[in-house]
Structures are given as C-alpha cells and as structure tokens.
Amino acid sequence: MKKFVWGTAISVLIAVLTSNHAQAATFTEIGDAGETLSTAQVIPSGLLPLKSISGTISQTTPDADIFQIFLTQGQTFSATTAINSGTLADPQLYLFDSSGKGIIANDNESSNSTQPTLPIGSFSPTQSGIYYLAISGFDYHPVSVKGEIFPRFPDVSFDGVGVYGPTVAGGGSPLREFDGLRLNGGSYTITLTGVQTSAQPVPENTSGVGVLGLGLLALATLPRNQKSKQV
C-alpha cells in the first residue's frame, strides 16, 4: 500500500512540474481585431507566457490588427513574423505603450526579407504593464492627430536590429487610426517572447511545490494513522 501511495504521489508531482514548464499560450484572432486602442483585441487572461498570435489581414479592405498584451519589467521582449510568415507578403509590426504612443516599429528585418522583426534588445520594458502590438500590410500606417507616428520610408541599416522609433510629426501623440493604401493582405503568425496573457507573473513551479508539500504531508502522517489503528 505504501509503495502504491508513493508511486502515485511521485507520478502526480512529475506531471505537474512538467506541465508548468511546458505551458504556453497561443492566440488566434477572433473575428477581426480592431485598428484603434478602443477596438484592440484583448488577449484572454490565463497567467501564461504568450507564444504567438495568429490572424488575417483583409485582402479587400484597408486593415490593421491591434492586440492588447502585457509585458513584464525585466523580461526579454521580441516579436517577429519571419519564423511563421503565413501568406501576408509584406507585413509591418508596431509597438505602442498603454496610452497609444509609438515605441518601435519594423518593416523588413533585413535587406533580403520583407518580414518584420522587433528583435531581442530593441525594447526592454522599464515597468510592467499593458502595451499594444499592431500588424498591418505595407503602406498602411498608424497616425495620430498630428500625422504619421513612424517614418514611412525609414533610413535604417539592417544590422540585426533595423527598428525605428516615432521620429516624425505625429510621433509624440497617441495612435488615432491607421491610414494609407492597402497593398496586400493574408494570414500571419507573430512569434513572441517576453509576453504574458495577464498582468500577473506566471507561477512556474509554485503549484508543483504545493502538490509536493501536500503529498509529503499525507505520506508522513500515513504510518502514524496505520499505527494508531493497530494499537
């Protein structure tokens, strides 16, 4: 009986610890994500790392998709479509703060690729909170009340970073909408690091330790209970 209890407790513990390390969320656009802060698609909370976001840019009408995400201070952030590009031929990626002000953007990760990347090291959150990640097809750009937020044809060197900031007239004001031409559409997958599905840190092994503690407590008291029955 003791062997059975020990074996069961260990099996449960291994399963819990393994699942805690392996858990990560993927999110697929529901309907059509909006292209303003008020219509941005909110990722459902679940206290998990967010591995990727998938969706579709319209083939027939001007379209951009915005997703509300959560970034944690000190965690490494990156976003790219280069790994899983989908059918969207020439996407653009934009990151905004909680008020909608532009932080960084990218059109092409290199001179040989039309896929955008916000690479590791291009932005590190100085405080935890809500941010907005946007994707659009080429030549459909974010604008504020004062004009375009990011340069349309930025002069950047493709040195492994290739990102640019909000350096034009509308760069100091929050996002109002997207504007411009729709030159392409299609499906996409944005691969992410350093993004969570909620505003609380992920408890990596806490539940596993809890299960271990409860298991050991139960096993420690089991012989005493058996002894008391024999007396």
Side-chain angles (χ1 to χ4, degrees):
M1 184 64 170
K2 289 182 185 177
K3 289 182 180 179
F4 174 77
V5 174
W6 272 107
T8 302
I10 292 172
S11 298
V12 170
L13 175 60
I14 291 173
V16 170
L17 292 178
T18 302
S19 65
N20 282 342
H21 279 294
Q23 280 180 341
T26 60
F27 180 77
T28 300
E29 179 186 19
I30 302 170
D32 183 24
E35 53 188 69
T36 64
L37 297 189
S38 61
T39 60
Q41 198 145 106
V42 179
I43 308 297
S45 62
L47 305 181
L48 296 173
L50 186 60
K51 182 180 178 182
S52 66
I53 299 172
S54 298
T56 303
I57 295 296
S58 174
Q59 298 272 11
T60 57
T61 59
D63 188 23
D65 292 342
I66 302 180
F67 299 92
Q68 180 182 297
I69 60 176
F70 189 89
L71 301 183
T72 302
Q73 179 183 1
Q75 288 194 4
T76 300
F77 166 77
S78 71
T80 182
T81 64
I83 299 172
N84 300 294
S85 57
T87 60
L88 182 57
D90 192 3
Q92 304 170 122
L93 286 175
Y94 304 95
L95 184 68
F96 302 88
D97 66 16
S98 59
S99 68
K101 291 184 178 180
I103 299 175
I104 52 172
N106 184 248
D107 181 8
N108 303 320
E109 69 162 352
S110 72
S111 57
N112 299 316
S113 173
T114 59
Q115 296 300 320
T117 293
L118 304 176
I120 292 172
S122 59
F123 173 71
S124 297
T126 56
Q127 60 182 11
S128 302
I130 289 173
Y131 293 80
Y132 291 90
L133 181 65
I135 183 170
S136 68
F138 176 70
D139 215 29
Y140 196 54
H141 298 269
V143 297
S144 70
V145 294
K146 294 184 178 180
E148 293 187 354
I149 296 174
F150 295 96
R152 183 168 295 221
F153 298 104
D155 182 17
V156 295
S157 61
F158 298 110
D159 55 0
V161 179
V163 298
Y164 44 94
T167 57
V168 290
S173 300
L175 172 71
R176 183 181 67 181
E177 61 185 359
F178 276 70
D179 191 26
L181 301 175
R182 181 201 57 79
L183 299 182
N184 56 69
S187 63
Y188 60 82
T189 294
I190 308 170
T191 301
L192 305 164
T193 62
V195 180
Q196 283 182 215
T197 59
S198 78
Q200 297 181 28
V202 181
E204 290 187 2
N205 289 329
T206 304
S207 58
V209 172
V211 171
L212 175 61
L214 290 173
L216 292 177
L217 180 61
L219 292 170
T221 57
L222 181 60
R224 296 177 187 174
N225 293 338
Q226 288 180 338
K227 259 186 195 176
S228 63
K229 286 181 181 178
Q230 290 174 356
V231 174

